[in-house]
Amino acid sequence: MRSAVQLFVADGPLPDWDASEGEIDRRENQLKEISGPVTADEAKALVACFGPEDCYGVAWSLLHLIETGPNPVLTTQPALEANEWHHTLWTRAVNGGLVPGVLTD
């Protein structure tokens, strides 16, 4: 796993809306240091970095980076209580025909 990915993953999930601008910028800059495509191992590690919300758009950048790797990163439907970003990745994989599945509300 590349060092930039290890650093990003080591810092844990993205912060929520009450994080400082500096913290959000720092995480965004860390993410920009990771070039795609990511490996399967990197994608799996990055999935754990979604926070409780979109982190002012940084979560979308993370999602798109994960999708540069071998797809799908999630091969089973996330549990109902899973992070919304895991559900988004799953829905996109089903809609893209990468995994068989039925989308439910």
Side-chain angles (χ1 to χ4, degrees):
M1 189 176 310
R2 293 175 288 170
S3 61
V5 176
Q6 289 175 342
L7 178 64
F8 189 84
V9 171
D11 278 353
L14 291 172
D16 61 12
W17 63 272
D18 64 350
S20 70
E21 184 176 341
E23 175 64 7
I24 293 167
D25 288 344
R26 185 182 72 78
R27 293 308 304 271
E28 181 177 29
N29 290 332
Q30 281 181 320
L31 193 58
K32 287 179 181 177
E33 290 294 315
I34 305 170
S35 60
V38 296
T39 67
D41 288 340
E42 290 172 339
K44 287 177 185 171
L46 289 167
V47 165
C49 294
F50 286 109
E53 49 197 55
D54 79 344
C55 191
Y56 298 96
V58 180
W60 280 109
S61 297
L62 176 58
L63 182 136
H64 293 304
L65 179 63
I66 290 168
E67 290 181 332
T68 68
N71 274 309
V73 68
L74 299 178
T75 57
T76 59
Q77 186 170 8
L80 190 57
E81 66 276 0
N83 184 291
E84 74 174 281
W85 294 99
H86 295 177
H87 288 282
T88 300
L89 275 169
W90 173 255
T91 299
R92 290 166 64 93
V94 171
N95 286 341
L98 299 172
V99 292
V102 176
L103 299 177
T104 59
D105 291 334

XYZ file of all heavy atoms in Angstrom:
801
model
N 0.856 -1.167 0.000
C 0.000 0.000 0.000
C 0.907 1.236 0.000
O 1.863 1.317 0.761
C -0.911 -0.020 1.227
C -1.978 1.034 1.180
S -3.166 0.995 2.554
C -3.667 -0.689 2.614
N 0.557 2.184 -0.825
C 1.379 3.395 -0.936
C 1.321 4.223 0.354
O 0.321 4.212 1.080
C 0.904 4.240 -2.120
C 1.155 3.549 -3.458
C 0.591 4.325 -4.601
N -0.868 4.212 -4.575
C -1.670 4.947 -5.334
N -1.172 5.845 -6.158
N -2.975 4.789 -5.270
N 2.397 4.945 0.593
C 2.507 5.710 1.843
C 1.424 6.781 1.961
O 0.930 7.044 3.060
C 3.901 6.321 1.986
O 4.168 7.205 0.922
N 1.032 7.408 0.865
C -0.013 8.440 0.924
C -1.347 7.834 1.370
O -2.094 8.460 2.125
C -0.166 9.127 -0.430
N -1.625 6.630 0.934
C -2.858 5.945 1.343
C -2.756 5.564 2.816
O -3.701 5.764 3.589
C -3.130 4.707 0.473
C -4.363 3.952 0.965
C -3.298 5.095 -0.988
N -1.615 5.036 3.219
C -1.416 4.656 4.619
C -1.605 5.857 5.541
O -2.243 5.748 6.588
C -0.019 4.064 4.819
C 0.146 2.710 4.206
C 1.572 2.193 4.313
O 2.511 2.947 4.541
N 1.736 0.892 4.135
N -1.066 7.008 5.154
C -1.204 8.221 5.957
C -2.665 8.644 6.072
O -3.155 8.958 7.156
C -0.372 9.351 5.357
C -0.440 10.696 6.054
C 0.132 10.607 7.464
C 0.308 11.747 5.255
N -3.376 8.630 4.947
C -4.788 9.025 4.952
C -5.599 8.089 5.838
O -6.396 8.529 6.666
C -5.340 9.035 3.524
C -6.708 9.630 3.425
C -6.885 10.999 3.316
C -7.840 8.828 3.456
C -8.156 11.561 3.244
C -9.112 9.366 3.382
C -9.269 10.735 3.276
N -5.393 6.795 5.680
C -6.130 5.795 6.453
C -5.787 5.903 7.941
O -6.668 5.782 8.801
C -5.854 4.379 5.904
C -6.425 3.306 6.819
C -6.427 4.240 4.493
N -4.529 6.162 8.254
C -4.107 6.261 9.655
C -4.800 7.410 10.381
O -5.011 7.344 11.597
C -2.594 6.424 9.738
N -5.183 8.442 9.646
C -5.868 9.578 10.263
C -7.353 9.324 10.495
O -8.052 10.164 11.050
C -5.661 10.849 9.435
C -4.332 11.503 9.736
O -3.621 11.059 10.662
O -3.974 12.477 9.042
N -7.846 8.166 10.068
C -9.212 7.766 10.378
C -10.271 8.394 9.499
O -9.977 8.971 8.453
N -11.515 8.297 9.935
C -12.638 8.808 9.146
C -12.573 10.322 8.938
O -12.005 11.054 9.755
C -13.862 8.447 9.988
C -13.414 7.343 10.875
C -11.963 7.609 11.139
N -13.174 10.744 7.851
C -13.262 12.178 7.578
C -14.054 12.858 8.693
O -14.978 12.269 9.255
C -13.966 12.418 6.240
C -13.201 11.993 4.994
C -14.098 12.100 3.757
C -11.943 12.811 4.824
N -13.697 14.096 8.993
C -14.411 14.801 10.063
C -15.813 15.218 9.635
O -16.144 15.218 8.456
C -13.527 16.030 10.313
C -12.811 16.258 9.030
C -12.625 14.893 8.415
N -16.615 15.605 10.629
C -17.966 16.069 10.320
C -17.970 17.587 10.149
O -16.920 18.229 10.114
C -18.969 15.588 11.361
C -18.656 16.093 12.762
O -17.802 16.984 12.915
O -19.276 15.589 13.709
N -19.145 18.151 10.069
C -19.314 19.559 9.727
C -18.708 20.526 10.734
O -18.422 21.672 10.401
C -20.796 19.889 9.543
C -21.588 19.692 10.796
C -22.188 18.551 11.218
C -21.826 20.655 11.823
N -22.796 18.731 12.426
C -22.584 20.028 12.837
C -21.478 21.991 11.998
C -22.990 20.684 13.982
C -21.888 22.641 13.149
C -22.632 21.991 14.122
N -18.485 20.112 11.964
C -17.961 21.055 12.958
C -16.432 21.058 13.052
O -15.868 21.733 13.910
C -18.599 20.811 14.323
C -18.277 19.458 14.923
O -17.712 18.609 14.213
O -18.600 19.260 16.108
N -15.757 20.361 12.155
C -14.291 20.384 12.131
C -13.806 21.753 11.658
O -14.518 22.479 10.954
C -13.768 19.295 11.201
N -12.602 22.078 12.033
C -12.041 23.368 11.605
C -11.753 23.349 10.106
O -11.565 22.284 9.495
C -10.747 23.650 12.359
O -9.717 22.773 11.926
N -11.723 24.528 9.525
C -11.407 24.649 8.109
C -10.026 24.068 7.823
O -9.806 23.409 6.805
C -11.468 26.117 7.691
C -11.261 26.343 6.220
C -11.410 27.802 5.818
O -12.018 28.587 6.574
O -10.914 28.146 4.738
N -9.102 24.282 8.749
C -7.750 23.750 8.594
C -7.723 22.231 8.546
O -6.982 21.634 7.756
N -8.530 21.585 9.391
C -8.585 20.124 9.409
C -9.187 19.577 8.121
O -8.695 18.609 7.547
C -9.388 19.627 10.621
C -9.610 18.139 10.658
C -8.343 17.299 10.802
O -7.251 17.850 11.015
O -8.455 16.071 10.684
N -10.225 20.220 7.651
C -10.849 19.784 6.400
C -9.889 19.966 5.238
O -9.724 19.072 4.399
C -12.187 20.519 6.177
C -13.193 20.075 7.246
C -12.732 20.256 4.776
C -14.425 20.918 7.335
N -9.203 21.108 5.194
C -8.215 21.353 4.137
C -7.081 20.333 4.193
O -6.615 19.843 3.164
C -7.634 22.762 4.245
C -8.612 23.846 3.845
O -9.647 23.533 3.202
O -8.352 25.022 4.180
N -6.645 19.985 5.400
C -5.563 19.020 5.565
C -5.964 17.660 5.005
O -5.212 17.027 4.256
C -5.189 18.896 7.046
C -3.984 17.987 7.312
C -3.709 17.889 8.810
N -4.704 17.090 9.496
C -4.730 15.751 9.481
N -3.825 15.069 8.818
N -5.668 15.097 10.140
N -7.172 17.220 5.326
C -7.635 15.919 4.838
C -7.829 15.945 3.316
O -7.521 14.982 2.623
C -8.936 15.503 5.538
C -8.827 15.211 7.018
C -7.743 14.211 7.399
N -7.827 12.919 6.752
C -8.500 11.873 7.208
N -9.156 11.946 8.336
N -8.512 10.748 6.530
N -8.346 17.068 2.816
C -8.521 17.194 1.368
C -7.163 17.136 0.659
O -7.014 16.464 -0.366
C -9.244 18.490 1.026
C -9.484 18.675 -0.456
C -10.272 19.924 -0.772
O -10.184 20.910 -0.010
O -10.974 19.901 -1.790
N -6.170 17.813 1.217
C -4.833 17.791 0.621
C -4.214 16.403 0.694
O -3.532 15.974 -0.245
C -3.926 18.836 1.275
C -4.328 20.248 0.901
O -4.884 20.486 -0.170
N -4.077 21.192 1.784
N -4.443 15.697 1.794
C -3.970 14.313 1.892
C -4.583 13.467 0.771
O -3.885 12.670 0.141
C -4.392 13.681 3.220
C -3.583 14.031 4.417
C -4.126 13.303 5.648
O -5.331 13.178 5.832
N -3.223 12.838 6.487
N -5.857 13.636 0.555
C -6.550 12.861 -0.461
C -6.024 13.181 -1.854
O -5.861 12.289 -2.692
C -8.059 13.129 -0.372
C -8.976 12.195 -1.133
C -8.780 10.746 -0.699
C -10.415 12.613 -0.939
N -5.724 14.437 -2.105
C -5.193 14.850 -3.403
C -3.818 14.239 -3.686
O -3.415 14.136 -4.842
C -5.107 16.368 -3.485
C -6.451 17.041 -3.633
C -6.304 18.541 -3.673
C -7.648 19.221 -3.796
N -7.528 20.689 -3.772
N -3.116 13.835 -2.634
C -1.804 13.210 -2.795
C -1.907 11.771 -3.294
O -0.907 11.175 -3.685
C -1.031 13.237 -1.469
C -0.580 14.614 -1.044
C 0.452 15.207 -1.995
O 1.390 14.475 -2.387
O 0.297 16.378 -2.367
N -3.090 11.216 -3.289
C -3.297 9.832 -3.722
C -3.794 9.847 -5.161
O -4.889 10.316 -5.445
C -4.328 9.115 -2.821
C -3.910 9.195 -1.360
C -4.491 7.665 -3.276
C -4.980 8.732 -0.390
N -2.978 9.334 -6.047
C -3.380 9.290 -7.449
C -4.089 7.973 -7.736
O -3.805 6.944 -7.125
C -2.163 9.441 -8.358
O -1.239 8.404 -8.125
N -5.034 8.035 -8.630
C -5.723 6.833 -9.067
C -4.989 6.245 -10.252
O -4.179 6.921 -10.871
N -5.197 5.031 -10.551
C -6.108 4.122 -9.869
C -5.500 3.579 -8.584
O -4.282 3.467 -8.455
C -6.319 2.998 -10.886
C -5.074 2.973 -11.697
C -4.595 4.399 -11.745
N -6.380 3.262 -7.655
C -5.949 2.643 -6.405
C -5.995 1.129 -6.581
O -6.688 0.615 -7.458
C -6.823 3.079 -5.205
C -6.677 4.574 -4.958
C -8.288 2.714 -5.400
N -5.255 0.426 -5.748
C -5.284 -1.040 -5.771
C -6.512 -1.524 -5.010
O -7.156 -0.750 -4.287
C -4.028 -1.627 -5.122
O -4.045 -1.312 -3.724
C -2.750 -1.095 -5.772
N -6.798 -2.801 -5.123
C -7.922 -3.379 -4.385
C -7.716 -3.224 -2.882
O -8.655 -2.867 -2.156
C -8.101 -4.845 -4.756
N -6.497 -3.465 -2.393
C -6.216 -3.305 -0.958
C -6.359 -1.860 -0.517
O -6.890 -1.583 0.562
C -4.811 -3.800 -0.622
C -4.693 -5.312 -0.671
O -5.730 -6.003 -0.585
O -3.560 -5.805 -0.789
N -5.907 -0.930 -1.343
C -6.050 0.486 -1.005
C -7.520 0.883 -0.971
O -7.961 1.584 -0.055
C -5.278 1.343 -2.010
C -3.771 1.222 -1.872
C -3.003 1.906 -2.978
O -3.565 2.150 -4.070
O -1.808 2.194 -2.747
N -8.289 0.440 -1.940
C -9.722 0.773 -1.978
C -10.427 0.256 -0.739
O -11.222 0.974 -0.122
C -10.363 0.196 -3.243
N -10.125 -0.977 -0.349
C -10.758 -1.554 0.844
C -10.388 -0.763 2.095
O -11.228 -0.548 2.976
C -10.357 -3.014 0.998
C -11.032 -3.907 -0.001
C -10.573 -5.345 0.124
C -11.190 -6.170 -0.988
N -10.636 -7.513 -1.052
N -9.135 -0.318 2.183
C -8.720 0.474 3.345
C -9.385 1.850 3.331
O -9.811 2.359 4.376
C -7.197 0.622 3.357
N -9.508 2.454 2.168
C -10.099 3.786 2.058
C -11.594 3.791 2.391
O -12.122 4.798 2.866
C -9.862 4.358 0.661
C -8.417 4.748 0.364
C -8.232 5.007 -1.135
C -7.991 5.963 1.179
N -12.276 2.680 2.171
C -13.707 2.600 2.484
C -13.961 2.894 3.959
O -14.993 3.456 4.323
C -14.278 1.224 2.077
C -15.627 0.974 2.701
C -14.387 1.137 0.566
N -13.005 2.578 4.804
C -13.160 2.814 6.245
C -12.999 4.289 6.620
O -13.202 4.656 7.775
C -12.145 1.979 7.021
N -12.672 5.131 5.663
C -12.384 6.540 5.961
C -13.565 7.476 5.766
O -13.420 8.693 5.920
C -11.205 7.008 5.113
S -9.670 6.185 5.557
N -14.715 6.936 5.432
C -15.888 7.804 5.319
C -16.338 8.216 6.706
O -16.383 7.409 7.631
C -17.045 7.094 4.608
C -16.834 6.957 3.135
C -16.577 5.726 2.572
C -16.891 8.069 2.307
C -16.397 5.589 1.213
C -16.701 7.955 0.943
C -16.445 6.709 0.390
N -16.658 9.488 6.842
C -17.172 10.007 8.094
C -18.690 10.023 8.081
O -19.330 9.437 7.200
N -19.277 10.741 9.023
C -20.733 10.749 9.158
C -21.463 11.583 8.105
O -22.669 11.459 7.950
C -20.950 11.324 10.557
C -19.739 12.157 10.805
C -18.615 11.470 10.102
N -20.751 12.418 7.371
C -21.385 13.257 6.353
C -20.423 13.506 5.208
O -19.390 12.856 5.116
C -21.898 14.559 6.970
C -20.866 15.233 7.822
C -21.482 16.261 8.741
O -22.393 15.941 9.504
O -21.011 17.388 8.662
N -20.718 14.476 4.353
C -19.909 14.639 3.144
C -18.641 15.464 3.327
O -17.853 15.579 2.396
C -20.749 15.179 1.994
C -21.010 16.666 2.055
O -20.813 17.284 3.115
O -21.436 17.220 1.029
N -18.420 16.013 4.501
C -17.187 16.766 4.792
C -16.932 17.836 3.725
O -15.856 17.941 3.173
C -16.003 15.804 4.927
S -14.496 16.548 5.580
N -17.980 18.593 3.453
C -17.903 19.688 2.482
C -17.419 19.217 1.117
O -16.646 19.883 0.439
C -17.042 20.838 3.017
C -17.620 21.445 4.269
C -17.185 21.035 5.521
C -18.635 22.383 4.198
C -17.728 21.567 6.682
C -19.183 22.926 5.350
C -18.731 22.517 6.579
O -19.280 23.040 7.727
N -17.841 18.033 0.709
C -17.527 17.497 -0.614
C -16.333 16.564 -0.656
O -16.116 15.885 -1.658
N -15.543 16.510 0.402
C -14.356 15.652 0.409
C -14.755 14.180 0.306
O -14.070 13.387 -0.348
C -13.476 15.915 1.652
C -12.249 15.016 1.661
C -13.049 17.386 1.709
N -15.887 13.809 0.886
C -16.331 12.411 0.822
C -16.619 11.992 -0.624
O -16.369 10.849 -0.998
C -17.553 12.190 1.707
N -17.129 12.908 -1.427
C -17.367 12.574 -2.836
C -16.049 12.322 -3.546
O -15.945 11.401 -4.370
C -18.161 13.675 -3.541
C -19.616 13.588 -3.256
C -20.356 14.435 -2.473
C -20.527 12.590 -3.721
N -21.660 14.013 -2.431
C -21.794 12.887 -3.190
C -20.389 11.470 -4.531
C -22.920 12.106 -3.457
C -21.511 10.694 -4.792
C -22.754 11.016 -4.258
N -15.036 13.119 -3.235
C -13.716 12.888 -3.834
C -13.171 11.528 -3.412
O -12.575 10.814 -4.225
C -12.738 13.996 -3.419
O -13.171 15.249 -3.894
N -13.372 11.173 -2.149
C -12.946 9.876 -1.653
C -13.684 8.759 -2.388
O -13.070 7.783 -2.839
C -13.185 9.779 -0.142
C -12.888 8.443 0.529
C -11.450 8.008 0.325
C -13.222 8.533 2.023
N -14.985 8.888 -2.549
C -15.774 7.893 -3.256
C -15.261 7.706 -4.680
O -15.062 6.574 -5.139
C -17.245 8.294 -3.262
C -18.192 7.307 -3.940
C -19.442 7.113 -3.109
C -18.559 7.781 -5.319
N -15.017 8.801 -5.379
C -14.544 8.713 -6.761
C -13.160 8.070 -6.828
O -12.883 7.297 -7.749
C -14.544 10.079 -7.426
C -15.925 10.632 -7.632
N -16.922 9.971 -8.323
C -16.484 11.785 -7.215
C -18.020 10.691 -8.327
N -17.790 11.800 -7.654
N -12.296 8.364 -5.862
C -10.980 7.736 -5.824
C -11.116 6.229 -5.610
O -10.462 5.434 -6.301
C -10.124 8.359 -4.716
C -8.722 7.764 -4.557
C -7.885 7.991 -5.810
C -8.035 8.357 -3.331
N -11.955 5.828 -4.687
C -12.183 4.403 -4.434
C -12.661 3.715 -5.710
O -12.236 2.603 -6.033
C -13.188 4.210 -3.280
C -12.548 4.633 -1.952
C -13.697 2.771 -3.224
C -13.525 4.763 -0.807
N -13.510 4.379 -6.454
C -14.055 3.782 -7.679
C -13.033 3.685 -8.811
O -13.313 3.037 -9.821
C -15.293 4.552 -8.138
C -16.478 4.345 -7.228
C -17.726 5.076 -7.673
O -17.617 6.133 -8.332
O -18.822 4.580 -7.362
N -11.828 4.256 -8.642
C -10.787 4.075 -9.661
C -10.129 2.712 -9.541
O -9.407 2.288 -10.440
C -9.688 5.156 -9.588
O -8.926 5.003 -8.380
C -10.256 6.560 -9.707
N -10.348 2.045 -8.417
C -9.753 0.729 -8.190
C -10.578 -0.363 -8.823
O -11.615 -0.112 -9.446
N -10.099 -1.593 -8.663
C -10.877 -2.722 -9.174
C -12.247 -2.740 -8.505
O -12.349 -2.711 -7.293
C -10.056 -3.943 -8.753
C -8.696 -3.421 -8.448
C -8.881 -1.999 -7.999
N -13.258 -2.729 -9.306
C -14.616 -2.685 -8.770
C -15.244 -4.045 -8.831
O -14.910 -4.844 -9.692
C -15.466 -1.689 -9.576
C -15.307 -0.295 -9.049
O -15.447 -0.064 -7.871
N -15.019 0.645 -9.936
N -16.176 -4.306 -7.987
C -16.649 -3.442 -6.916
C -15.838 -3.656 -5.647
O -15.347 -4.746 -5.390
C -18.088 -3.895 -6.712
C -18.036 -5.357 -7.022
C -17.003 -5.505 -8.122
N -15.690 -2.611 -4.863
C -14.992 -2.739 -3.585
C -15.899 -3.396 -2.545
O -15.432 -4.111 -1.681
C -14.439 -1.384 -3.103
C -15.550 -0.433 -2.726
C -13.466 -1.560 -1.968
N -17.188 -3.173 -2.651
C -18.166 -3.843 -1.774
C -18.870 -4.913 -2.601
O -19.458 -4.609 -3.635
C -19.191 -2.841 -1.231
C -18.645 -1.696 -0.391
C -19.785 -0.766 0.033
C -17.901 -2.199 0.817
N -18.800 -6.139 -2.144
C -19.406 -7.233 -2.907
C -20.691 -7.751 -2.278
O -21.362 -8.586 -2.864
C -18.408 -8.395 -3.076
O -17.980 -8.820 -1.781
C -17.210 -7.959 -3.910
N -20.999 -7.266 -1.089
C -22.266 -7.608 -0.445
C -22.941 -6.326 0.014
O -22.271 -5.337 0.327
C -22.075 -8.543 0.771
O -21.233 -7.905 1.722
C -21.472 -9.870 0.354
N -24.237 -6.362 0.056
C -24.993 -5.175 0.449
C -24.674 -4.810 1.893
O -24.683 -5.669 2.779
C -26.490 -5.433 0.293
C -27.320 -4.198 0.552
C -28.763 -4.396 0.159
O -29.187 -5.497 -0.180
N -29.531 -3.323 0.186
N -24.376 -3.529 2.140
C -24.098 -3.107 3.515
C -25.319 -3.285 4.424
O -26.458 -3.235 3.956
C -23.765 -1.611 3.376
C -23.536 -1.379 1.937
C -24.282 -2.434 1.189
N -25.053 -3.484 5.691
C -26.130 -3.579 6.674
C -26.908 -2.266 6.701
O -26.368 -1.200 6.371
C -25.554 -3.875 8.055
N -28.131 -2.334 7.098
C -28.997 -1.162 7.142
C -28.370 -0.012 7.928
O -28.466 1.148 7.538
C -30.359 -1.540 7.739
C -31.457 -0.502 7.644
C -31.708 -0.088 6.202
C -32.730 -1.029 8.261
N -27.688 -0.327 9.025
C -27.102 0.711 9.868
C -25.713 1.171 9.399
O -25.092 2.023 10.036
C -27.026 0.241 11.324
C -26.082 -0.902 11.567
C -26.685 -2.278 11.290
O -27.864 -2.382 10.902
O -25.958 -3.258 11.463
N -25.226 0.661 8.272
C -23.904 1.036 7.753
C -23.879 2.503 7.343
O -24.918 3.135 7.105
C -23.538 0.150 6.575
N -22.693 3.023 7.219
C -22.462 4.401 6.791
C -23.164 4.663 5.455
O -23.160 3.813 4.568
C -20.943 4.606 6.676
C -20.556 6.011 6.331
O -20.802 6.466 5.225
N -19.943 6.686 7.277
N -23.735 5.841 5.317
C -24.461 6.177 4.090
C -23.574 6.098 2.854
O -24.034 5.816 1.752
C -25.108 7.560 4.186
C -24.120 8.704 4.081
C -24.790 10.071 4.039
O -25.291 10.463 2.971
O -24.787 10.719 5.089
N -22.269 6.335 3.030
C -21.345 6.287 1.890
C -21.136 4.855 1.421
O -20.933 4.613 0.235
C -20.035 6.977 2.240
C -20.304 8.425 2.440
C -20.476 9.085 3.631
C -20.525 9.395 1.421
N -20.784 10.397 3.394
C -20.812 10.620 2.050
C -20.504 9.354 0.029
C -21.069 11.787 1.337
C -20.752 10.512 -0.682
C -21.036 11.709 -0.022
N -21.210 3.896 2.315
C -21.138 2.490 1.921
C -22.375 2.134 1.096
O -22.270 1.427 0.091
C -21.021 1.588 3.141
C -19.750 1.793 3.897
N -19.471 1.122 5.062
C -18.669 2.584 3.665
C -18.293 1.494 5.505
N -17.797 2.385 4.688
N -23.527 2.653 1.510
C -24.750 2.419 0.749
C -24.665 3.071 -0.628
O -25.129 2.500 -1.621
C -25.981 2.931 1.513
C -26.335 2.080 2.686
N -26.992 0.876 2.566
C -26.094 2.251 4.014
C -27.157 0.341 3.767
N -26.620 1.156 4.664
N -24.055 4.238 -0.692
C -23.893 4.929 -1.975
C -22.983 4.123 -2.902
O -23.294 3.936 -4.087
C -23.344 6.352 -1.773
O -24.260 7.084 -0.954
C -23.153 7.068 -3.100
N -21.857 3.634 -2.381
C -20.967 2.793 -3.189
C -21.701 1.550 -3.690
O -21.562 1.158 -4.852
C -19.743 2.359 -2.376
C -18.574 3.323 -2.323
C -17.570 2.870 -1.271
C -17.910 3.439 -3.679
N -22.470 0.914 -2.803
C -23.217 -0.280 -3.179
C -24.228 0.036 -4.269
O -24.319 -0.676 -5.284
C -23.912 -0.882 -1.956
C -24.830 -2.004 -2.302
C -26.193 -1.972 -2.342
C -24.458 -3.334 -2.687
N -26.686 -3.197 -2.707
C -25.641 -4.053 -2.930
C -23.234 -3.974 -2.835
C -25.630 -5.373 -3.321
C -23.234 -5.301 -3.228
C -24.418 -5.982 -3.464
N -24.990 1.096 -4.093
C -26.004 1.476 -5.078
C -25.370 1.747 -6.434
O -25.887 1.312 -7.469
C -26.783 2.720 -4.591
O -27.433 2.395 -3.364
C -27.812 3.181 -5.616
N -24.252 2.425 -6.438
C -23.565 2.728 -7.698
C -23.050 1.449 -8.360
O -23.080 1.324 -9.585
C -22.453 3.740 -7.457
C -23.009 5.130 -7.110
C -21.962 6.060 -6.535
N -20.885 6.389 -7.435
C -20.849 7.457 -8.225
N -21.874 8.314 -8.210
N -19.817 7.684 -9.006
N -22.579 0.490 -7.551
C -22.102 -0.784 -8.099
C -23.262 -1.579 -8.709
O -23.130 -2.164 -9.786
C -21.390 -1.594 -7.028
N -24.414 -1.590 -8.033
C -25.594 -2.288 -8.557
C -26.065 -1.593 -9.836
O -26.301 -2.243 -10.862
C -26.730 -2.349 -7.504
C -28.024 -2.864 -8.126
C -26.319 -3.230 -6.333
N -26.197 -0.277 -9.787
C -26.658 0.471 -10.959
C -25.709 0.318 -12.146
O -26.135 0.338 -13.298
C -26.837 1.953 -10.630
C -28.059 2.220 -9.796
O -28.967 1.408 -9.724
N -28.080 3.364 -9.132
N -24.416 0.170 -11.850
C -23.417 -0.010 -12.912
C -23.311 -1.443 -13.402
O -22.504 -1.726 -14.294
N -24.090 -2.356 -12.834
C -24.054 -3.740 -13.256
C -22.825 -4.492 -12.772
O -22.515 -5.572 -13.275
N -22.123 -3.949 -11.773
C -20.913 -4.592 -11.262
C -21.221 -5.714 -10.295
O -20.404 -6.630 -10.126
C -20.011 -3.556 -10.599
C -19.520 -2.432 -11.496
C -18.800 -1.381 -10.677
C -18.619 -2.992 -12.582
N -22.355 -5.618 -9.619
C -22.792 -6.668 -8.702
C -24.283 -6.882 -8.900
O -25.024 -5.944 -9.189
C -22.527 -6.305 -7.207
C -21.044 -6.267 -6.908
C -23.188 -5.023 -6.817
N -24.719 -8.124 -8.760
C -26.164 -8.338 -8.824
C -26.776 -7.872 -7.513
O -26.198 -8.041 -6.454
C -26.287 -9.854 -8.982
C -25.027 -10.399 -8.387
C -23.967 -9.356 -8.593
N -27.888 -7.268 -7.611
C -28.542 -6.821 -6.386
C -29.851 -6.144 -6.686
O -30.105 -5.720 -7.803
N -30.633 -6.075 -5.672
C -31.914 -5.399 -5.751
C -31.823 -4.209 -4.817
O -31.459 -4.343 -3.646
C -33.074 -6.327 -5.323
C -34.389 -5.578 -5.309
C -33.129 -7.535 -6.229
N -32.104 -3.054 -5.324
C -32.059 -1.851 -4.502
C -33.357 -1.713 -3.726
O -34.450 -1.810 -4.290
C -31.835 -0.617 -5.380
C -30.518 -0.635 -6.159
C -30.419 0.588 -7.063
C -29.342 -0.686 -5.214
N -33.214 -1.556 -2.435
C -34.375 -1.387 -1.563
C -34.226 -0.077 -0.818
O -33.135 0.439 -0.664
C -34.492 -2.535 -0.553
O -33.311 -2.582 0.232
C -34.707 -3.858 -1.257
N -35.321 0.440 -0.331
C -35.285 1.683 0.444
C -34.948 1.391 1.875
O -35.194 0.429 2.447
C -36.621 2.408 0.356
C -36.848 2.940 -1.048
O -35.886 3.200 -1.764
O -38.033 3.081 -1.417
